[in-house]
């Protein structure tokens, strides 16, 4: 493979981590603003709290990784990245920089309002919490979308140059955000079960099934349009499809991580397991109570799938280009 | 010395035009460009070497390079040369995506430049260039590429690759000056640019360029090999 990957693991990890954090904030703030309504009952505050405390960290780690990959940083210009703050342009990266900066600030304040051990709905931090949540919902969505727009802005990268990529990243962000909340709850509150917990788990799991469903639709559209298109895009997307084209042209076959990692492990298996446990309650009002192992394994699969999705997309975009010269 | 600027030409044309047209001519912007006549290229890499020497380009990186395109099955074979450099596009996507404003297209002469003192090395422009003309300079940590030898051109000299070309395959000048050698050559020859479908409107033109790509080997059922002579062994 003669292609050089200018954006490697740090950027891949960043896209994944920023998406997860943005998704966690959006979900947390949405659930919090919805309050006890919408069926969450008294469990809503706990759900919002998990999301709020999760959100800032992955985004900050991701941004740190981005700085590590900068050419300036690697040649010893440690603080040259501050040049990003001297201007604002229509470059997706410039807009993204400002969005991420605001995001980190807002999500930290939002997390702070949930820090006190006795934090509860209606305490003295409530007005601040509410204000941050109102900003947090659109901000989280903006950060999640921008990561896709960043990649999609270049005709020279036909794999990325698709308006639906940003949509895919948004859905994946929300889905991994929900998964992170479910996982944190399962790990930190092992064995603690009451009606509120069960009810909010049920709602989160149901929304995860929906998100994964939409994600599958978007992936289907992405592949279908590429497959039915001749030229650059068709050629670029062929690297993630099985078949002689991808095997012949590329040393590294991305079809395996895409179909096994993204579609099977990240989407189909979690969705099927979640549906298996959600459907009885949805259809027959039975008790919702998946075993502990499922509560852990399903979110882990969704999160791993989210990472592999970023990996496949970032690598595929860089090993393909326009046909002809 | 080849005539580069529009100065003398402007004066000559301006004299015979009405006042309004004369004003338009004198305000006309310069757009430097290059025409590469591949029929005159022998693939000697003198341009690549001159460029390396001119800018002390770090080992493993190239601002200017020559690709070899070998194709055909014996006895019908050919080897063509495709000298490459930054196209100084009229719609440079690399400039669109730069988050710090470190790269821009100069108003006065249309040259796309990078300021390594501003550039943070995010590599976004490297991704965006359809011609793979940019690279990360391992010494400065900033994006780097051909700048049409701005330091020479601004003093009225031709770029180093043009000066050194033994086949006189390269013509450099102002595309917007209809009297310049490059404009006259483009007007009187069949020319092409690379990847026009990218919509970048390149300002480097070719005469008799071989646009064959390795991807076409399957379709044409013949041997095709493209040698890039740079670290990236395949074209983007």
């Amino acid at each position: 493979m003669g292609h050089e990957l200018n954006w490697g693991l740090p950027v891949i990890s960043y896209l994944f981590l920023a998406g997860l954090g943005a998704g966690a904030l959006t979900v947390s703030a949405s659930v919090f603003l919805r309050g006890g309504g919408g069926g969450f009952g008294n469990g809503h505050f706990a759900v919002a709290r998990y999301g709020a405390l999760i959100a800032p960290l992955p985004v900050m780690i991701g941004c740190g990784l981005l700085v590590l990959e900068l050419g300036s940083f690697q040649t010893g210009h440690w603080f040259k990245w501050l040049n990003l703050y001297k201007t604002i342009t229509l470059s997706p990266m410039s807009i993204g920089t400002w969005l991420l900066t605001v995001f980190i600030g807002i999500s930290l304040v939002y997390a702070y309002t949930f820090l006190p051990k006795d934090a509860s709905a209606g305490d003295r931090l409530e007005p601040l919490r509410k204000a941050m949540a109102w900003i947090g919902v659109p901000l989280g969505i903006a950060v999640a979308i921008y990561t896709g727009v960043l990649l999609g802005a270049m005709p020279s990268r036909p794999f990325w140059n698709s308006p639906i990529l940003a949509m895919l990243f948004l859905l994946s962000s929300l889905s991994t955000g929900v998964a992170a909340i479910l996982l944190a709850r399962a790990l930190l509150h092992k064995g603690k079960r009451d009606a509120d917990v069960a009810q909010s788990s049920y709602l989160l799991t149901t929304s995860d099934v929906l998100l994964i469903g939409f994600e599958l639709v978007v992936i289907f559209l992405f592949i279908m349009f590429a497959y039915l298109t001749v030229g650059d895009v068709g050629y670029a997307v062929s690297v993630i499809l099985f078949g002689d084209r991808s095997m012949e042209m590329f040393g590294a076959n991305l079809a395996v991580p895409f179909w096994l990692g993204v579609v099977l492990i990240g989407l189909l298996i979690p969705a099927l397991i979640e549906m298996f446990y959600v459907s009885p309650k949805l259809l027959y009002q039975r008790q919702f109570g998946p075993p502990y192992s499922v509560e852990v394994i399903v979110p882990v699969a969704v999160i791993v799938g989210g990472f592999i999705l970023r990996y496949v997309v970032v690598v595929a975009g860089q090993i393909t280009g326009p046909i002809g010269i | 010395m080849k005539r580069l600027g529009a100065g003398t030409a402007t004066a000559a044309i301006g004299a015979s035009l009405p006042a309004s047209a004369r004003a338009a001519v004198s305000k006309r912007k310069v757009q430097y460009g290059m025409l590469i006549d591949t029929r005159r290229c022998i693939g000697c890499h003198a341009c690549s070497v001159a460029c390396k020497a001119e800018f002390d380009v770090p080992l493993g990186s190239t601002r200017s390079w020559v690709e070899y395109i070998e194709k055909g099955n014996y006895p019908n074979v050919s080897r063509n040369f495709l000298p490459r450099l930054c196209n100084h596009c009229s719609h440079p996507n690399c400039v669109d995506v730069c988050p710090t404003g470190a790269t821009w297209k100069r108003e006065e002469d249309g040259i796309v430049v990078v300021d390594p003192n501003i550039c943070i090395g995010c590599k976004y422009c490297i991704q965006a260039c359809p011609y793979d003309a940019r690279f990360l300079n391992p010494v400065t940590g900033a994006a780097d590429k051909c700048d049409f030898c701005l330091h020479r051109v601004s003093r009225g000299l031709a770029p180093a690759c043009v000066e050194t070309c033994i086949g006189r395959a390269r013509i450099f000048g102002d595309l917007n000056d209809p009297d310049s050698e490059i404009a006259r050559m483009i007007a009187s020859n069949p020319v092409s640019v690379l990847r026009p479908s990218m919509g970048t409107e390149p300002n480097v033109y070719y005469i008799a360029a071989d646009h064959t790509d390795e991807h076409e080997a399957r379709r044409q059922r013949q041997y095709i090999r493209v040698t890039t002579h740079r670290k990236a062994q395949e074209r983007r």
Side-chain angles (χ1 to χ4, degrees):
Chain A
M1 200 164 71
H3 298 278
E4 201 180 343
L5 293 186
N6 282 302
W7 286 344
L9 266 184
V11 170
I12 295 166
S13 311
Y14 153 75
L15 290 172
F16 162 73
L17 290 170
L20 189 148
L25 181 73
T26 305
V27 172
S28 158
S30 312
V31 170
F32 169 71
L33 289 173
R34 192 72 174 83
F40 269 104
N42 296 326
H44 82 276
F45 196 83
V47 170
R49 187 176 192 169
Y50 282 113
L53 296 180
I54 289 170
L57 198 63
V59 178
M60 289 194 293
I61 293 174
C63 291
L65 289 172
L66 275 190
V67 173
L68 291 184
E69 175 134 308
L70 290 178
S72 57
F73 191 86
Q74 289 174 351
T75 49
H77 305 94
W78 313 118
F79 297 104
K80 208 173 173 188
W81 56 274
L82 290 171
N83 279 356
L84 284 167
Y85 295 106
K86 291 182 184 165
T87 180
I88 181 160
T89 70
L90 277 179
S91 159
M93 196 181 282
S94 176
I95 293 169
T97 304
W98 289 101
L99 275 178
L100 285 166
T101 310
V102 176
F103 181 97
I104 290 173
I106 297 286
S107 63
L108 279 175
V109 175
Y110 183 62
Y112 163 76
T113 65
F114 282 94
L115 268 187
K117 266 210 148 56
D118 55 347
S120 61
D123 63 4
R124 88 192 152 80
L125 287 169
E126 183 78 359
L128 182 62
R129 192 180 293 138
K130 203 159 235 170
M132 293 303 112
W134 275 112
I135 306 171
V137 174
L139 196 60
I141 292 174
V143 167
I145 287 183
Y146 124 81
T147 55
V149 175
L150 180 93
L151 297 184
M154 298 169 285
S156 62
R157 296 298 191 189
F159 189 94
W160 296 339
N161 194 13
S162 158
I164 215 165
L165 189 67
M167 192 66 202
L168 180 59
F169 277 16
L170 170 64
L171 289 169
S172 172
S173 298
L174 292 173
S175 171
T176 49
V178 170
I181 293 174
L182 283 171
L183 182 64
R185 146 115 63 156
L187 290 178
L188 297 175
H189 283 242
K190 188 179 177 180
K192 242 169 107 184
R193 285 176 186 281
D194 55 41
D196 284 338
V197 171
Q199 174 65 8
S200 51
S201 289
Y202 165 72
L203 285 172
L204 282 180
T205 309
T206 320
S207 49
D208 203 35
V209 176
L210 266 179
L211 287 168
I212 290 177
F214 280 124
E215 226 176 309
L216 282 167
V217 171
V218 169
I219 284 183
F220 168 73
L221 291 176
F222 183 79
I223 292 173
M224 189 198 75
F225 276 101
Y227 189 71
L228 296 178
T229 307
V230 290
D232 298 347
V233 182
Y235 147 71
V237 173
S238 68
V239 300
I240 60 166
L241 305 175
F242 278 118
D244 59 327
R245 283 208 285 177
S246 58
M247 298 302 275
E248 256 180 59
M249 274 191 276
F250 307 97
N253 190 354
L254 287 173
V256 174
F258 176 71
W259 290 107
L260 291 187
V262 177
V263 177
L264 198 65
I265 295 176
L267 299 172
L268 281 179
I269 289 179
L272 288 175
I273 296 178
E274 282 175 339
M275 274 168 72
F276 179 77
Y277 288 100
V278 162
S279 302
K281 177 164 169 95
L282 190 69
L283 300 174
Y284 309 115
Q285 297 299 315
R286 299 248 179 84
Q287 186 69 30
F288 173 77
Y292 179 69
S293 56
V294 167
E295 279 187 327
V296 173
I297 289 171
V298 167
V300 166
V302 170
I303 289 171
V304 168
F307 178 81
I308 301 177
L309 171 71
R310 304 314 196 284
Y311 175 86
V312 168
V313 168
V314 170
V315 173
Q318 291 181 88
I319 63 171
T320 54
I323 300 177
I325 189 72
Chain B
M1 237 319 284
K2 291 188 182 98
R3 189 175 59 207
L4 305 174
T8 49
T10 310
I13 297 170
S16 60
L17 290 175
S20 58
R22 209 179 303 149
V25 167
S26 61
K27 269 190 207 157
R28 188 191 55 219
K29 280 183 187 153
V30 175
Q31 171 63 63
Y32 283 130
M34 195 176 286
L35 173 66
I36 300 176
D37 187 346
T38 62
R39 298 169 303 183
R40 303 182 71 99
C41 176
I42 58 164
C44 70
H45 299 284
C47 45
S48 313
V49 174
C51 180
K52 277 268 186 192
E54 190 75 24
F55 294 99
D56 200 11
V57 182
L59 208 61
S61 306
T62 37
R63 285 172 164 231
S64 170
W65 68 101
V66 182
E67 292 174 350
Y68 287 10
I69 300 128
E70 296 162 20
K71 59 179 181 181
N73 301 325
Y74 179 82
N76 304 309
V77 294
S78 69
R79 172 191 266 177
N80 292 296
F81 309 115
L82 193 67
R84 301 282 308 272
L85 68 164
C86 170
N87 283 286
H88 298 275
C89 305
S90 292
H91 292 294
N93 200 206
C94 52
V95 171
D96 293 338
V97 300
C98 178
T100 56
T103 184
W104 68 94
K105 189 172 176 67
R106 279 161 56 98
E107 284 283 326
E108 53 270 47
D109 50 23
I111 296 179
V112 177
V113 291
V114 185
D115 186 341
N117 296 317
I118 303 175
C119 176
I120 59 169
C122 71
K123 295 172 265 190
Y124 203 176
C125 57
I126 299 175
Q127 302 282 10
C129 175
Y131 307 102
D132 214 2
R134 288 170 171 258
F135 57 93
L136 191 83
N137 187 315
V139 176
T140 62
D144 205 349
K145 68 170 192 69
C146 158
D147 63 357
F148 269 167
C149 280
L150 184 58
H151 61 294
R152 293 173 61 94
V153 170
S154 57
R155 286 168 176 77
L157 298 168
C161 58
V162 176
E163 199 75 49
T164 197
C165 182
I166 58 164
R168 303 248 323 259
R170 291 170 181 251
I171 298 167
F172 178 82
D174 178 13
L175 294 170
N176 287 350
D177 174 7
D179 234 25
S180 64
E181 187 189 5
I182 184 170
R184 284 187 282 117
M185 287 290 284
I186 288 174
S188 54
N189 281 285
V191 295
S192 62
V193 294
L194 302 182
R195 287 184 174 157
S197 60
M198 290 289 113
T200 49
E201 301 185 7
N203 286 306
V204 173
Y205 289 81
Y206 292 86
I207 296 177
D210 189 345
H211 291 269
T212 304
D213 202 51
E214 269 182 329
H215 296 302
E216 285 167 67
R218 185 186 331 277
R219 185 163 57 86
Q220 297 183 356
R221 300 204 173 277
Q222 64 180 3
Y223 173 83
I224 294 178
R225 188 174 77 179
V226 175
T227 312
T228 58
H229 295 116
R230 59 195 320 226
K231 201 163 66 183
Q233 285 164 20
E234 285 170 49
R235 283 172 178 161
R236 167 161 296 176

